[in-house]
């Protein structure tokens, strides 16, 4: 039986279909998909982002680290060895609670797992992160990256996530250092 952490188990139960995550992210401007418009792999999940030294009112240099747990994945390229994914990435940029400039230097990995939780492959990627704020204070992050090596090499990786745990008061005190929420990981067609 697959052993997964509590957040992953909850997300797998609550977000069993990518359409549900998309419904949560209504109003998100997403980059255009390839011609047929359908991802070849789509994985619902949960994303956590840490920001150091922490978003404050004034712009400053920040290091952003993102971790995510995704699955089960569906789509035409999904096989038993690409059922779940662990996502990690990092980037640097000038950010604040009110300034969301695209970050172009993101890089990271997707570690693929089978149903039993065994590591079955890795995708290495480089790309960018776009953050945008929404009317009720939540932040939406979109990662668009090229898979440079490993599984799905040459394809585009896209992760869209809602960071629902932002506390605006922290912008004035300690700085926002952690945000999290639901998301989707997609592998787009060539």
């Amino acid at each position: 039986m697959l052993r997964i952490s509590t957040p992953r188990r909850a997300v797998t139960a609550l977000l069993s279909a990518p359409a549900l995550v998309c419904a949560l992210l209504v109003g998100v401007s997403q980059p255009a998909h390839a011609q047929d418009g359908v991802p070849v792999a789509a994985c619902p999940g949960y994303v956590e982002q840490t920001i150091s030294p922490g978003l404050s009112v004034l712009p400053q240099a920040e290091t952003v680290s993102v971790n995510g747990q995704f699955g089960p994945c569906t789509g035409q390229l999904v096989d038993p060895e690409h059922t779940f994914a662990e996502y990690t990435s990092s980037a640097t940029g000038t950010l604040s609670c009110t300034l969301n400039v695209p970050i172009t230097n993101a890089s990271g990995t997707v570690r693929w797992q089978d149903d039993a939780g065994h590591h079955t492959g890795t995708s290495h990627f480089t790309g960018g992160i776009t953050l945008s704020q929404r009317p009720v204070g939540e932040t939406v992050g979109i990662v668009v990256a090229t898979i440079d090596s490993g599984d799905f090499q040459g394809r585009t990786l896209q992760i869209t996530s809602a960071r629902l745990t932002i506390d605006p008061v922290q912008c004035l005190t300690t700085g926002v250092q952690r945000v999290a929420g639901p998301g989707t990981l997609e592998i787009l067609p060539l």
Side-chain angles (χ1 to χ4, degrees):
M1 186 70 188
L2 177 64
R3 292 188 177 132
I4 54 180
S5 64
T6 301
R8 186 170 175 186
R9 184 175 295 123
V11 166
T12 300
L14 292 173
L15 304 175
S16 61
L20 180 56
V21 173
C22 291
L24 291 171
L25 301 175
V26 170
V28 175
S29 299
Q30 294 192 23
H33 287 239
Q35 288 180 334
D36 68 359
V38 178
V40 294
C43 314
Y46 187 78
V47 176
E48 295 181 339
Q49 177 179 332
T50 56
I51 306 130
S52 180
L55 296 176
S56 63
V57 175
L58 298 176
Q60 62 184 349
E62 300 282 0
T63 299
V64 178
S65 300
V66 183
N67 295 301
Q69 299 284 325
F70 297 92
C73 301
T74 60
Q76 63 185 10
L77 287 186
V78 175
D79 57 41
E81 295 193 356
H82 296 92
T83 304
F84 293 94
E86 292 179 354
Y87 168 88
T88 59
S89 69
S90 62
T92 58
T94 301
L95 301 169
S96 75
C97 287
T98 58
L99 175 68
N100 289 308
V101 178
I103 298 172
T104 59
N105 62 1
S107 64
T109 59
V110 176
R111 290 176 44 95
W112 297 98
Q113 298 173 354
D114 62 16
D115 282 331
H118 300 112
H119 173 74
T120 56
T122 304
S123 300
H124 301 277
F125 62 87
T126 57
I129 302 173
T130 303
L131 301 173
S132 62
Q133 290 186 325
R134 298 297 181 213
V136 292
E138 76 278 17
T139 300
V140 174
I142 300 171
V143 175
V144 178
T146 300
I147 299 175
D148 301 313
S149 64
D151 297 14
F152 305 113
Q153 181 175 353
R155 293 186 182 273
T156 298
L157 168 73
Q158 178 175 297
I159 296 182
T160 305
S161 60
R163 282 66 184 265
L164 303 176
T165 57
I166 193 165
D167 180 359
V169 174
Q170 289 179 336
C171 295
L172 302 171
T173 56
T174 59
V176 177
Q177 298 176 348
R178 182 186 171 279
V179 290
T184 57
L185 179 152
E186 297 177 327
I187 305 296
L188 303 182
L190 290 173

